Amino acid sequence: MIQHLQHSRRSCFYVNLDPAADDFAYEPDLDIKDLISLEDVMEEMSLGPNGGLIYCFEFLLENLDFLTTAIESLSEEYLILFDLPGQIELYTHIPLLPRLVQHLGRMGSLNISLCATYLLEATFVIDKAKFFAGTLSAMSAMIMLELPHVNILSKTDLVKDLVGKRELKRFVDPDQAL
C-alpha cells in the first residue's frame, strides 16, 4: 500500500502499532516501540505474548498523546496507515482496539475517516471449517470496531497450486455456488 501511494504521489504517514514487529519493508513514521515494546513488557512484567500485547495497548490508551501529537500535525492530504498486530483477541474479546478507534474518530481537527482492512490467509480456503472460522472472526472484528471493512484474502500465492482457480472463486463469491 505504501509503495502504491508513493507511485501515485500521495502523502502517507505509516504508524506501526504492533509492539512486537521488528522487520519493516518501510520504516514507520511513528512506532509504538518508541513508547513501549512487547519484548520489554514480557521481560519486566513476566507476561506471555498475549498478556503482553494487552498490556501494551492498555499503556497506549493511557498515553494517547503519543499518538495524537504525531498525527494532529498532519494535513488532510495524508493517508494514515495504522499497522496493527494480528492477534484476534485484540479485536474480538476485549474492547481495547474499539476504544482506540473511538479516540481516532473523535479527532475532529483532522477530519479522519476510518476504514479497517481485515487480512485472512488464503490458506484457510483449503479447509472449509477454517475458512468459516476465519470469516466469523472477520465479522466479529467488524462488529467490535464498528468501522467500514475491506476483507482481503492474503498470501494467495501459497494456495494457487493446492486449490484450483474455480474452487478459490467459489469461496470469495459464494452466490456463484448456488
Side-chain angles (χ1 to χ4, degrees):
M1 182 62 150
I2 293 171
Q3 185 178 27
H4 171 72
L5 292 168
Q6 288 174 343
H7 288 303
S8 303
R9 296 190 174 135
R10 298 270 323 265
S11 300
C12 175
F13 191 81
Y14 172 38
V15 180
N16 173 47
L17 290 180
D18 185 347
D22 288 324
D23 191 27
F24 301 101
Y26 296 90
E27 196 63 33
D29 296 300
L30 182 65
D31 193 344
I32 190 174
K33 287 185 299 195
D34 293 336
L35 177 68
I36 191 167
S37 78
L38 179 62
E39 186 178 322
D40 291 344
V41 167
M42 289 172 57
E43 184 178 314
E44 292 176 26
M45 308 288 290
S46 298
L47 294 171
N50 289 343
L53 275 173
I54 292 169
Y55 183 88
C56 287
F57 275 92
E58 287 173 342
F59 190 80
L60 175 63
L61 289 170
E62 291 172 7
N63 296 280
L64 283 170
D65 57 321
F66 168 79
L67 186 59
T68 304
T69 303
I71 61 178
E72 272 185 339
S73 63
L74 301 174
S75 66
E76 289 184 9
E77 69 185 44
Y78 276 86
L79 181 95
I80 305 170
L81 291 175
F82 294 95
D83 189 0
L84 296 159
Q87 283 72 11
I88 192 67
E89 303 90 330
L90 294 173
Y91 306 91
T92 59
H93 294 79
I94 48 180
L96 295 172
L97 287 178
R99 285 181 41 213
L100 178 62
V101 165
Q102 289 170 357
H103 172 75
L104 293 170
R106 287 191 302 258
M107 291 182 61
S109 62
L110 265 184
N111 193 22
I112 293 179
S113 297
L114 298 170
C115 178
T117 303
Y118 190 92
L119 300 177
L120 179 65
E121 283 191 30
T123 55
F124 277 43
V125 301
I126 296 169
D127 182 340
K128 293 175 183 168
K130 280 186 179 179
F131 183 75
F132 188 68
T135 304
L136 288 176
S137 294
M139 185 172 13
S140 180
M142 292 166 90
I143 291 168
M144 285 288 286
L145 294 178
E146 298 180 343
L147 288 176
H149 262 68
V150 176
N151 295 308
I152 297 174
L153 281 176
S154 65
K155 302 181 184 178
T156 55
D157 57 319
L158 299 177
V159 296
K160 67 181 177 182
D161 298 329
L162 300 172
V163 178
K165 191 173 184 178
R166 183 178 175 151
E167 184 72 9
L168 184 60
K169 190 169 184 148
R170 188 173 71 84
F171 279 100
V172 297
D173 190 7
D175 291 339
Q176 197 174 41
L178 295 176

